[in-house]
Amino acid sequence: MQKKHLYLLLLIAGTAFWGISFTFVKVGIGAGSPFVFLFYKFLIAAFCLAIVFFRQLKLISLKTLKISFLIGVPLLAGTVLQTIGLQYTTVSNAAFITGLDVLLIPILKFFIYKKKIENKIWIACILALIGLYIIVVKDGLSLNSGDVLIVACAFGFAFYVLQVGKYATEENPIPAVILLMLFCAFGCLILALFDEASVWLPNTNGFWRGVLFAAIPATAFMYAVQNVGQRYLGEEKVALTYLFEPVFATIAGVFILGEDFTYQILTGGLLIISAMFISEINFKKNPSKN
């Protein structure tokens, strides 16, 4: 199996963790401070990665610090905005609106970096968003304050993916990811110190279950895979894998919570899979050999 296909599968597995984590995060933050939750999430993720990749810590340099900062700013912004938004909107709306980064990535890439985007990627993005809309939006989409925050978070995640793509081949990615997690943890710590709702040791199982699930599979695993995988995958294909996030969230709801499996789920899922297939097809025929 080629490395790009392996990392594509690993990214899709990571989106499964992301999809399930929406529920864990929403329950975990409750009415408390989202910044405390995020502080523990990023700190635990950094700790786990540092243990697993201990030998790579010696590769950290000033350049690694710089790259981690440039990647970390949009990730921190996107994560904070999404987590706050989840307190005021539904998981379905949050999942759909966050999916806007799939369209924002090629648009921003075109206007900021002046890089040409293949027509098939545009078609795949639109097709995938239609599928995503069918799955997660059942009663129409109305924007409240939480939805507006999620819209802003989509821009943050789009810039994050672009930054990862820009620096993916410059340094060993794992040390940069560890510093990235620490940077986000520090940023959330500062925000938590100014939040009157901060409780540093919440006495609720939902909080700690949410932190552990969000930290280890949904953060440490996913961001490590993404930062390495973007050496072999373009930003647009990485963004398209993000669209599996709400699909896995819906599947988890069916099998874990006993929610109904509807034709909307089936239709939307097929459209998203079709979009991935289109993005992988080489429409340019090889010239015939004489």
Side-chain angles (χ1 to χ4, degrees):
M1 180 183 291
Q2 293 183 9
K3 284 188 177 181
K4 68 175 184 178
H5 295 139
L6 173 61
Y7 281 107
L8 189 64
L9 291 174
L10 290 174
L11 279 170
I12 293 173
T15 60
F17 297 133
W18 269 359
I20 297 170
S21 72
F22 267 96
T23 302
F24 278 94
V25 172
K26 191 169 181 66
V27 173
I29 58 179
S33 171
F35 308 123
V36 173
F37 183 95
L38 291 175
F39 165 69
Y40 283 123
K41 182 188 88 165
F42 284 118
L43 186 65
I44 292 172
F47 182 71
C48 290
L49 288 172
I51 291 176
V52 174
F53 300 101
F54 177 76
R55 292 183 179 180
Q56 295 196 32
L57 294 178
K58 63 184 179 182
L59 300 177
I60 293 175
S61 63
L62 289 176
K63 187 176 181 180
T64 311
L65 287 169
K66 177 185 175 181
I67 291 174
S68 299
F69 174 78
L70 293 174
I71 294 174
V73 170
L75 176 61
L76 177 61
T79 305
V80 167
L81 289 167
Q82 184 187 63
T83 307
I84 297 174
L86 265 173
Q87 291 183 305
Y88 306 103
T89 191
T90 64
V91 168
S92 293
N93 274 24
F96 172 71
I97 299 170
T98 301
L100 289 175
D101 61 2
V102 174
L103 281 182
L104 290 173
I105 286 168
I107 292 171
L108 293 173
K109 187 175 182 179
F110 176 77
F111 284 105
I112 296 176
Y113 298 110
K114 309 298 181 184
K115 293 186 178 181
K116 184 179 179 181
I117 306 300
E118 294 181 82
N119 290 332
K120 69 175 184 178
I121 297 296
W122 292 103
I123 294 170
C125 286
I126 293 171
L127 189 64
L129 279 175
I130 292 172
L132 188 56
Y133 181 88
I134 291 172
I135 288 177
V136 301
V137 181
K138 301 176 180 66
D139 302 313
L141 181 63
S142 57
L143 294 176
N144 56 35
S145 60
D147 296 328
V148 173
L149 289 171
I150 302 295
V151 170
C153 102
F155 279 89
F157 288 139
F159 276 112
Y160 161 72
V161 173
L162 289 175
Q163 288 292 83
V164 172
K166 183 178 179 180
Y167 297 107
T169 59
E170 293 199 13
E171 286 282 291
N172 189 309
I174 295 300
V177 173
I178 295 172
L179 290 180
L180 172 66
M181 297 294 103
L182 288 174
F183 171 78
C184 290
F186 179 75
C188 293
L189 173 63
I190 298 301
L191 292 170
L193 292 174
F194 291 93
D195 186 359
E196 295 180 355
S198 293
V199 177
W200 293 101
L201 294 173
N203 189 23
T204 58
N205 291 330
F207 177 89
W208 296 109
R209 279 198 300 264
V211 164
L212 290 175
F213 188 89
I216 299 173
T219 299
F221 170 82
M222 181 56 173
Y223 287 109
V225 167
Q226 182 197 343
N227 278 264
V228 176
Q230 279 197 236
R231 291 188 164 198
Y232 311 99
L233 299 169
E235 293 89 341
E236 298 85 1
K237 288 184 181 179
V238 171
L240 282 169
T241 65
Y242 285 5
L243 289 169
F244 280 85
E245 179 181 27
V247 175
F248 283 113
T250 303
I251 292 173
V254 170
F255 288 98
I256 298 174
L257 302 178
E259 296 178 352
D260 294 332
F261 184 81
T262 67
Y263 74 92
Q264 293 153 304
I265 296 172
L266 177 61
T267 304
L270 288 174
L271 284 171
I272 291 173
I273 293 172
S274 299
M276 289 293 296
F277 183 68
I278 289 172
S279 72
E280 286 290 316
I281 293 177
N282 182 8
F283 290 99
K284 297 180 179 179
K285 295 182 180 179
N286 293 325
S288 59
K289 296 181 181 179
N290 295 326

